[in-house]
Amino acid sequence: MNNFDLVVRRARVATAADTFDADIGIVDGRIVQIGLQLAAGRQEIDAAGRVVTPGGVDAHCHLDQPMPAPIRMADDFDTGTRAAACGGTTTVIPFAAQQKGQSLRAAVADYHRRAEGQAHVDYAFHLIVSDPTPTVLEEELPALIREGYTSFKIYMTYDDLKLNDGQILDVLEVGRRHGAMVMIHAENADCIEWLTKRLEAAGRTAPRFHAHARPMLVEREATHRAISLAELVDVPILLVHVSGREAVEQIRWARAHGLKVFAETCPQYLFLTAADLGIDDSYLGARCVCSPPPRDKQNQAVIWDALNDGVFTVFSSDHAPFRYEGADGKKPGGAEVAFRHIPNGIPGIETRMALLYSEGVLGGRMTLSRFVELTATNPAKAFGLHPRKGTIAVGADADLVIWDEREFVLENRHLHHAVDYTPFAGQTLRAWPALTLARGEVAWDGQDFHPRRGRGRFLACGAPTLLPRAKADA
Ligand code: URP
Ligand code: ZN
Ligand code: ZN
């Protein structure tokens, strides 16, 4: 009799703690045994000494998020989770974004409609709180946290999203009271607007000037302010998409002072520089417009160091997919517009894992365990999905990636998103998933995607487990 639905044999299993050789036995989409010479399964996959990691948890991606017309995100829950699976990510946490004036409940219901029956890998939602009314703060957020939406993002920039310091304090207080994780986009909106107007007055509107309007000091100041506001409320925060030295220094300072400040970075701050937004006024640079903007080689080195020494807890894609051609993406209405009107964000949900595995692990910059921690285990812990997600352990979901270590030059035709470019084209990759299992089902076999809309289920998140749970206020 076969005990297992599936056995992955002779795996070089990598977790955040260590690396060891084992077979992995799977029943009903869960890992039920890890050991040597397991009994036969109904299906067998020979990993033959290849590295097997937990499926990635991409804790920062934007899918099908409504945009002002005519702009539209290229990836919805079908194509976005297809790309995720082919790149070794088996859990995504996109955002249910509240429009100003909208109830959070309505935003969450809208996102469930968008995702229901569409996703190929599991998903949870962060909330984006853009309108923290008394009802939102006192009723909706506490109830939604109880129901499994245990994290929310707030913005210090973007006119339609930004909160002032008082509003930020109010939201942080809800996070403290109810044990939720508050993610902060830290850039000083007024500085950006002031610089943007001056650049426009001087006729400097090409994509590359996006980076001039957002120098690192605007991120540094907002990072420091976010840390101070969190210190005042005494609540952990997660600073997202940290781009370089000045913000990293603020985070190191906060940690040295005992503050519970977590941080995330993304592939664009390791593999792109401001030069990718253009060295002349070509519009092609619009493809790499994101906020904060990529910096320079020295800052890339700072980010690599901070990934290794623990400043960063989470490595996410910040996948924000807009097509380059057409009227709904980087050229709104079909026109080459001034940089302030270029939709911010770049695609990266499929390339996140392979870029870090290639340059980090195989490039000798980080251990395999640190790779697993940053791409899977820590994001699962930060958002209350661990140990079901983000690890290889008995009882965990059988979300696994078998890695194929082979060198190739990345082109957009290799990818499965609905975007017409990748900002990482031309990068030499040294690895790509040979197989992705999503709750025990083959979702990607190294050649072909195995679709099953609805395979991906909604995950209600628990409390973050990166820290011992803070005592709730009376
Ligand atoms: O430019 C970016 N990062 N776009 C996505 C939205 C966000 O702020 O994360
Ligand atoms: Zn952001
Ligand atoms: Zn984002």
Side-chain angles (χ1 to χ4, degrees), residues 60 62 65 73 95 153 155 158 161 185 210 240-241 268-269 289-292 318-320 322 343-346:
H60 185 160
H62 304 262
Q65 197 172 305
M73 284 200 166
F95 297 87
K153 182 175 177 189
Y155 286 79
Y158 297 135
L161 296 170
H185 179 135
H210 174 80
V240 294
H241 44 51
Q268 41 274 39
Y269 307 115
V289 164
C290 60
S291 296
D318 194 7
H319 180 78
F322 300 102
N344 281 205
I346 63 174

Side-chain angles (χ1 to χ4, degrees), residues 355-367:
L355 282 167
L356 197 66
Y357 193 102
S358 297
E359 193 57 35
V361 179
L362 299 178
R365 291 173 178 271
M366 71 176 54
T367 64

Side-chain angles (χ1 to χ4, degrees), residues 5-71:
D5 296 334
L6 171 65
V7 177
V8 177
R9 261 193 217 281
R10 300 196 291 162
R12 185 101 191 98
V13 177
T15 70
D18 48 23
T19 304
F20 54 92
D21 294 323
D23 302 337
I24 303 169
I26 297 164
V27 173
D28 286 339
R30 293 221 171 189
I31 298 171
V32 295
Q33 200 173 345
I34 299 172
L36 295 174
Q37 295 172 341
L38 297 192
R42 272 196 291 285
Q43 197 193 340
E44 297 253 338
I45 294 172
D46 190 0
R50 283 182 172 174
V51 169
V52 177
T53 63
V57 177
D58 193 344
H60 185 160
C61 53
H62 304 262
L63 298 177
D64 205 9
Q65 197 172 305
M67 294 283 130
I71 298 163

